[in-house]
Structures are given as C-alpha cells and as structure tokens.
Amino acid sequence: MTSQEQGGAPLLVVDDDDGSRGLVALALRRAGFDVAEAADGEAALTIVRSQTIGLLVLDMGMPGMSGTDVVRALRARSETATLPILLMTGSGDQDSVIEGLGAGADDFVPKPVRLDELIARVNAHLRKQTAWSNVVQDELRIRANVVTALGNLTISSDPEEAAEAVVTELAKGLDSDYVAVLQVGANGQLQELATYNRTLGVERGGHALAPSVSQRVLARAREGPWVQDVDAFEIGETTASFASAALDLATGAPIYSGDELVGILTIGIAREAGRSPLLRRARLLAAAIDYASVLSAMAGPAFADRREGAATRARLRDILTAHEFHPVFQPIVDLTTLSIVGFEALTRFADGVRPDVRFAEAEVVGLGPDFELAAIRRALEDAVHLPGDAFLSINVSPGFILGGDRHFSELIRASTRPLVLELTEHVPIDDYGLVRRALAKLGNVEIAVDDAGAGYASLRHILELRPAFAKLDISLVRGIDDDELRQAIAAGFGYFALRTGCRLVAEGVETEEEAAALRRLGIELAQGYLFGRPLPIDAGAPDMVRPAASMQDGATGRA
C-alpha cells in the first residue's frame, strides 16, 4: 500500500545516524511511500505537530530524547494516540524494546534492518490503520445520520407523544431490537411511556416496573449513561417487551428536567455477527445519550409536570378517601326581619388550604368533578340537621352541571330541602342553552349567580340564566355606608335585579352600618360575619340572628 493509497500522509523516519536513516528512507521511497526525516526526537515531534503523518519508524537508541520518550509524548496527545509506531532496535536493546512497547509502540524491527521485512511490516500496519479509519468513518456516517434524524424529529411536549416519536425513530434509524422510554413516577417507580421490540412493534404506554427494580435502575441512571450485557440489566425482570426481545446488550441514558431525573431512555440489541463488541457498545451508548438529551431539552419539563401532577393527584385522592374535609354553613338573612331564609354550604379542608385553591388544584389534575361531588354529598348529608325549611345554597361549577353526573342528579332529586345551585365559575359560559337544558333536567332547583358587580361574566350569567338570586360582590358591600359611589352601584343593581326577576344577596356584611345602608337601598337579603360565621353542623345553627351579638371584627376567614 502506497502513501497515495492511504490518503497521502507521509511516513516519518527518525534516527540520529544519518546513514541508517537515509538507507531506510530510500527503501521506503522506492516502495512508493512519501517519506519525511528527522534526526532526533524533538525534531520528530515538531514535524508530527505540524503535519499529518501516516506512520512513524523510530530508532530506540537516540541521544537526548529517547525513542521511548517520543512514544510517550505521542501517545499523550489525542491527535497521535493511534499513530502506528515501529521501533528500530539494536541487538542489546531488549529491555528498551519491552519499555517501548509498554509505552505504546505497535511493533519493532531489529538492526541491522532487513528492508524487505521493514516494508512488509509498514504495509501491514498501514492496512490495519486504514481498516480502522474506515470503521471510524463508517461510525461517523452513522452518527451523522443520527444527528440528521434528530434535527428532523418533531418532539411533542406531551410525554407519551414525545416518547413514541423517539422510540419510533430509534427503531428504524438504529436498527435496534428494543427501545423504551421510562418515566419516573411520583413514588419513584418507573413506568413505560412507549416501547418497541421486533415482535410487538411500537406501543404507547406499558408496564410499571417493580419498585425494587425501579430503585436499582434509577440508582444506575443517577451515575450517568451506561451500557452493559443484558444478563446484568434488570429491567427484563418485569417488562414483557424487554424479555421477549432476546437481547445481549442494552444501554440507558437519563432524561432530565433541569437537575431533576424525570425519565430514562433504554435501547437494546441482539448479537450482530462480525461486528466489534467495542463498536457496538459505543454506537449504542452514543445513540442513547443523543436521544435522551433531545428528550431532556424538548420534553423534560413536561415529564416533570406529569410527575408533579401525579403526586398531586395521589395526594388529593388521599384527601377524598380519608374524608379530610367537612361542610360549614353560613346563614342568609332577611335584612328586614333578620330571620334566616337560607344557608350557604361551604367546604373546609383539614389541612387549612383555602377552598378555592384546593378546588382549582383538583381541577388541574382532573379531580375537579370528584371534589365537587364529594363536597355536595357531605353538605346535603349534614344539611338535614339544619333548622326549619330554609333553602340550602350549594356551590357548583357550570362545567360540573354540564357533565351530567348521575350521582349528582340523584342527590339533588333526593333532597327534601329547597336547593339553590350557586354558579362558582367566573368566566363566560360558551353555550348558555346547554346549561339551561342541563339545569332543567335536575328538577325543582333554583339558581344563584355569584360575584354580581365583579365582572362581565356574572352580569351575562344573570341575563342568560335568569337566576332566582344574585350575590352582590363583597367589594361593593365593604364600606358601603360611607361610599356614595358604592351606594349608587348597589342601587343600580337593585333596579337591575328587579327588572330581571331575581333577589339580591349582599355578601360579606360585617357592620350594622353596612346592613342599615343596604336596607335603605332596598337590598332584601344578606350574609356575612355580622349575622354568623360559617360553622359546622355540630356547632349548632340559629333560627334568628342578633347583629350586635354576632358581629365579628377583622377580615380573616371570610367565606
């Protein structure tokens, strides 16, 4: 093989003996090689650093920088770590030969050099180097194809869709036998989001790994990417798609959201005849790292959100199961007679979280209807102990009404107490006709609209639903006795209520002065700390209130 065949890189002959160096260089040139020469180790290193050398023929016994020193210097640089090096040694240099080979030289020829043997050895090492270069180039092309595929890959922020896209691409692009994207659950258990093997194809979703297996695999992932033989890869203990793939090599790479480990990408391959085990491992590990990095960047935050949502959902499920909430009832009074005409049922949670925060939290993780139904059921159960035949107002969202929950309908129809459904959603309803029809199916119930005066949505609710009651927002009631503008707005709402056929209920009344002002403005009903705090049923419920005795100071804990 000539220098032209191995890419044009010249050979370098290094020897302090001009005659010996010249003879070797001449023989190599006659064999068709381009040859450079150096008389000592320092000069050789200067040449190697300045140009590409295909192979080095190096004398061991040079003064100053020895041949072994040159080998060590070349092997210390990544650029020359694999440069073929042949040593030329004298008859008494056996120890030096061992030292030179230990430092990283590839071969040696004794002096006096047989030139035909030297040329044969040079050709053999160049063939090996060329073969290795071809392998490297092949691997680089494969890696380039992976990078191109990554650039063309559309990654969704939805964890399942992102996992399926990556699994599908790896299945065809890497010619792998098994791929899985695993998500770290809220309890530290790994769950398959998408998998592939040659028998089952690509499947979204999958199995949860056993807790003990999850912990072992997570511990390994926290140490970084890895590749190992399948007999030590323990995911197969509980994953049918893994066990049926007949693999002998598998790799894994962590998926992160910031510093949080949120998932793992695993890839496995079966035996490949004729392929270097080292290259197989390198290729597999590189692909796992590349694709796990893409998942981290594009879907890692969604993985984290899903994990957090699962933890929140589990925590909220526990609250429902343990009944860690209870209803309280606040009286609604006739401002003229101060007699109780109704009660609003509110929910209190054992951990002290505000009801609006807790219900919003439940809605985000898909448990909103469950919490609404549970709160309504408890309120109706306790309401049978309320005095008299006052109506009961229960909070319900339009979305829950539109859901048509059968249990909710049964609870409403079974109540012997007059019921008022108070709409709690503060955004416009898309289709009032649907809401009206859903309400009609519930039977003899009345409607209340909350927060009248707080925004456009509540006014639209009143116009479209024609409720029996409209709650005058607390922001208009607070300090109304000293604020003519609030009084004017309240008077306008009084006229509005009269024209629309509903009764106004002033919320958050705390002083006798506020009550008197509302009475003068013609507001018929009111509720607030002046008339009674929200109390559980076992605290008793009055059938008549006395403002002076029940008035409370401060703003904390208002319904």
Side-chain angles (χ1 to χ4, degrees):
M1 175 178 289
T2 67
S3 62
Q4 286 74 22
E5 291 172 323
Q6 47 91 24
L11 311 185
L12 176 60
V13 179
V14 186
D15 196 330
D16 63 306
D17 186 312
D18 293 342
S20 178
R21 184 180 71 248
L23 180 63
V24 169
L26 178 61
L28 291 171
R29 289 189 181 101
R30 286 178 174 175
F33 294 103
D34 184 11
V35 181
E37 300 180 42
D40 56 51
E42 289 83 356
L45 292 179
T46 299
I47 292 173
V48 170
R49 291 189 184 104
S50 63
Q51 68 181 98
T52 300
I53 296 297
L55 181 144
L56 192 68
V57 179
L58 176 64
D59 181 36
M60 286 292 296
M62 295 184 297
M65 189 175 194
S66 70
T68 301
D69 292 335
V70 173
V71 173
R72 290 196 181 100
L74 292 172
R75 292 301 183 239
R77 298 177 67 237
S78 59
E79 296 89 340
T80 54
T82 60
L83 173 66
I85 301 175
L86 271 68
L87 301 177
M88 296 186 295
T89 64
S91 58
D93 288 337
Q94 292 303 313
D95 291 341
S96 297
V97 169
I98 295 173
E99 185 180 6
L101 292 174
D106 297 283
D107 202 354
F108 74 97
V109 291
K111 286 185 174 181
V113 176
R114 283 189 56 180
L115 296 178
D116 56 347
E117 178 185 355
L118 173 65
I119 292 170
R121 289 182 181 274
V122 166
N123 279 322
H125 284 287
L126 288 177
R127 281 195 297 271
K128 183 188 298 183
Q129 185 72 1
T130 300
W132 175 252
S133 296
N134 290 338
V135 169
V136 171
Q137 290 300 319
D138 182 49
E139 293 302 315
L140 287 175
R141 281 193 295 271
I142 292 172
R143 189 67 181 271
N145 291 337
V146 170
V147 172
T148 300
L150 286 171
N152 296 329
L153 191 60
T154 300
I155 299 293
S156 168
S157 60
D158 177 77
E160 281 88 358
E161 291 181 6
E164 185 178 24
V166 166
V167 165
T168 302
E169 182 60 35
L170 280 169
K172 65 181 181 181
L174 192 63
D175 194 27
S176 51
D177 298 283
Y178 167 80
V179 186
V181 175
L182 311 171
Q183 180 170 4
V184 182
N187 57 355
Q189 192 169 8
L190 289 170
Q191 170 71 46
E192 292 176 335
L193 290 180
T195 61
Y196 163 80
N197 71 29
R198 293 189 183 277
T199 302
L200 302 175
V202 175
E203 295 185 317
R204 186 183 292 196
H207 303 278
L209 276 62
S212 59
V213 178
S214 293
Q215 292 308 309
R216 290 196 295 270
V217 176
L218 283 171
R220 183 66 188 85
R222 290 189 178 98
E223 298 174 2
W226 76 96
V227 60
Q228 61 190 87
D229 295 332
V230 163
D231 57 8
F233 196 74
E234 295 158 330
I235 286 183
E237 293 181 23
T238 56
T239 305
S241 59
F242 183 95
S244 64
L247 309 176
D248 69 322
L249 191 65
T251 186
I255 300 166
Y256 281 96
S257 174
D259 295 329
E260 181 184 8
L261 178 64
V262 295
I264 298 172
L265 171 64
T266 66
I267 310 171
I269 55 175
R271 286 180 172 82
E272 297 179 53
R275 181 167 291 280
S276 163
L278 181 61
L279 285 176
R280 293 170 65 228
R281 288 172 177 265
R283 179 192 293 185
L284 204 60
L285 184 60
I289 293 172
D290 286 342
Y291 280 88
S293 298
V294 170
L295 279 171
S296 295
M298 303 300 294
F303 276 54
D305 290 345
R306 176 68 61 83
R307 178 179 179 177
E308 183 179 346
T312 300
R313 186 179 178 86
R315 174 169 52 82
L316 294 180
R317 276 290 183 197
D318 290 342
I319 290 173
L320 284 179
T321 302
H323 301 290
E324 295 175 355
F325 60 93
H326 65 274
V328 293
F329 301 91
Q330 185 173 35
I332 300 171
V333 305
D334 185 305
L335 274 174
T336 301
T337 65
L338 296 185
S339 60
I340 295 175
V341 298
F343 291 91
E344 180 179 2
L346 303 163
T347 301
R348 296 293 181 260
F349 290 91
D351 58 6
V353 172
R354 279 175 26 202
D356 58 329
V357 173
R358 175 53 44 76
F359 281 101
E361 185 181 40
E363 185 66 31
V364 168
V365 297
L367 291 177
D370 300 78
F371 267 75
E372 286 199 56
L373 182 62
I376 291 168
R377 177 178 283 112
R378 285 292 304 275
L380 291 173
E381 289 172 355
D382 284 10
V384 299
H385 303 292
L386 291 172
D389 58 355
F391 67 79
L392 177 66
S393 177
I394 56 177
N395 293 282
V396 61
S397 68
F400 184 73
I401 292 173
L402 290 172
D405 188 281
R406 177 176 57 84
H407 300 292
F408 172 62
S409 301
E410 292 172 353
L411 288 171
I412 295 300
R413 293 192 181 95
S415 175
T416 58
R417 183 177 294 275
L419 294 180
V420 176
L421 303 183
E422 185 171 330
L423 300 185
T424 59
E425 192 170 306
H426 300 161
V427 296
I429 295 173
D430 293 331
D431 192 329
Y432 283 96
L434 286 178
V435 175
R436 287 192 293 267
R437 288 190 289 275
L439 289 169
K441 294 178 182 179
L442 295 175
N444 189 25
V445 295
E446 294 186 303
I447 303 300
V449 170
D450 198 10
D451 299 336
Y456 170 78
S458 58
L459 295 178
R460 181 76 187 279
H461 290 353
I462 294 171
L463 287 172
E464 295 286 351
L465 299 176
R466 299 303 173 96
F469 301 92
K471 294 286 192 74
L472 194 62
D473 188 68
I474 192 172
S475 63
L476 295 177
V477 174
R478 185 64 41 75
I480 193 170
D481 52 303
D482 289 328
D483 191 325
E484 292 184 357
L485 182 57
R486 281 183 167 82
Q487 293 171 19
I489 294 174
F493 266 103
Y495 179 74
F496 179 79
L498 178 66
R499 299 293 294 176
T500 56
C502 71
R503 304 166 73 185
L504 281 183
V505 181
E507 291 187 297
V509 181
E510 293 193 351
T511 69
E512 293 185 71
E513 289 77 15
E514 289 173 347
L518 291 164
R519 196 179 294 114
R520 289 194 301 272
L521 291 168
I523 306 301
E524 184 179 355
L525 306 174
Q527 67 183 100
Y529 283 4
L530 178 65
F531 310 113
R533 288 177 177 269
L535 295 173
I537 199 67
D538 56 12
D543 55 10
M544 179 71 75
V545 292
R546 292 290 180 263
S550 58
M551 184 175 68
Q552 299 290 338
D553 232 350
T556 59
R558 293 191 182 95

